[in-house]
Amino acid sequence: MTLAALGEPCVLLKLGEIVLKGKNRELFERRLINNIRTALHELDIKVDVRKRHGVIAIFLPAGTTVEQAEAVARRVADVPGLVWIHRAWRVAKDPDTVVKAGLELVRESEQVARKATFAVRSRRRDKRFPLRSNELDRLVGGAINDEYGLPVDLSKPELTLHVEVDRDEVFLFTDGLPGQGGLPVGSSGRALVLMSGGIDSPVAAYRMMRRGLHVDFLHFSGIPFTTSESIYKAYALVRKLDRFQGNSRLWVVPFGKAQQSIRNSGQDRLAVIAQRRLMLKTAEEVAHRIRAAALVTGDALGQVSSQTLANITAQDHAVDLPILRPLVGWDKTEIMAEARRIGTLAISELPDEDCCSLLAPKRAETRAKIEDLKQIEKRLDAEELAVQLADSIQEYTLEGVAPAS
């Protein structure tokens, strides 16, 4: 008897820290389920997402192929808030049916042919089920051993069959995909990421998504003194990151003329920090308009000369909104490894004309004084300039380009 005759294919999702949220847990689960449904819209597969005790089950329509079930599992693996994704089978709550389904599921695995070691791990969420977890382990495991002659190894098995008894059905699965962990996107609010074309800021954006923030992106282009290459990179990075949250928006500021004004101020060593403060002031103005409650940057303490503690303090002083720096304690090797894992590294390493290259003094200030920076900003009328820059932004949606409203 085949698995299809014994039950239905489904995808079982395991939650992470959401289960620790106590009385607020339902709010997080509701947000997570909405995010899962949104992510699966693109697959054009009608699914039924249901909450269970400690898990979420995605039931697939009749006739769903193995390839379609795998596509569903891969897609939801990118949704923050989940720690494991299992392509499973849903069968009746009958010990005989569970044994038959377990035999079929093991028979289809590649480990059978090479006589791999195995173990059965049962979990009985519904205590009304007549067999305890250890009894179910022995029943299913004994049948597998008798049928295929696989040796049992309870400490480090090469193949593990999981049997989970739920309220209305039993789920069986053998392996799974690791999820992103963290919290559901949107459960912590909204933030605005200062997105360069480099390695750090995309990783910072991803880390904040995992903490439940839905982020928009603000890119500063050197136009009219540079080409549009950096915009294309920022756009490609946002598209790559969008699979973790959906509905991403990229805002682009033409920043070249403002940089020229800073360079002409005569404060060569302070130019980089003055530019950074103006970017933050502009970002704060944009954040207020789109109702974002924080700014996010890819700063890492001591990574470059402008990221000293004194300079970071001077940047914080420029705005009232909190500035989140999720990478502040990371080194470059760690950041690059994470960028490689989430798929942004190759894009970030593409050449482009970064706007920061327009202000590259021979020796940058590492201990910027806030009063000196305020004098530069007074001459530039930085507050008004930030409003003008915010007025000049253009929105790039993932479907194309839309004029800023």
Side-chain angles (χ1 to χ4, degrees), residues 206-274:
Y206 166 76
R207 300 304 298 184
M208 288 292 89
M209 291 177 193
R210 288 186 73 254
R211 299 315 306 157
L213 283 178
H214 189 286
V215 301
D216 289 314
F217 301 87
L218 185 66
H219 176 70
F220 291 86
S221 165
I223 288 176
F225 303 115
T226 63
T227 66
S228 300
E229 287 181 347
S230 72
I231 300 176
Y232 299 146
K233 277 186 67 175
Y235 181 85
L237 288 167
V238 171
R239 285 191 64 91
K240 179 64 71 172
L241 292 169
D242 185 65
R243 73 187 193 275
F244 299 114
Q245 67 169 13
N247 300 316
S248 299
R249 296 184 297 178
L250 170 65
W251 308 87
V252 176
V253 178
F255 199 59
K257 290 183 179 179
Q259 289 179 290
Q260 188 178 53
S261 298
I262 294 172
R263 184 172 55 189
N264 293 339
S265 69
Q267 299 293 326
D268 186 52
R269 290 186 60 177
L270 288 172
V272 172
I273 306 303

Side-chain angles (χ1 to χ4, degrees), residues 8-24:
E8 303 172 2
C10 64
V11 178
L12 200 62
L13 312 177
K14 298 299 182 68
L15 311 183
E17 61 184 284
I18 292 177
V19 301
L20 305 176
K21 292 302 179 182
K23 294 181 180 179
N24 293 324

Side-chain angles (χ1 to χ4, degrees), residues 268-283:
D268 186 52
R269 290 186 60 177
L270 288 172
V272 172
I273 306 303
Q275 168 188 269
R276 189 68 170 173
R277 281 172 59 98
L278 181 57
M279 287 180 171
L280 290 168
K281 288 178 181 293
T282 305

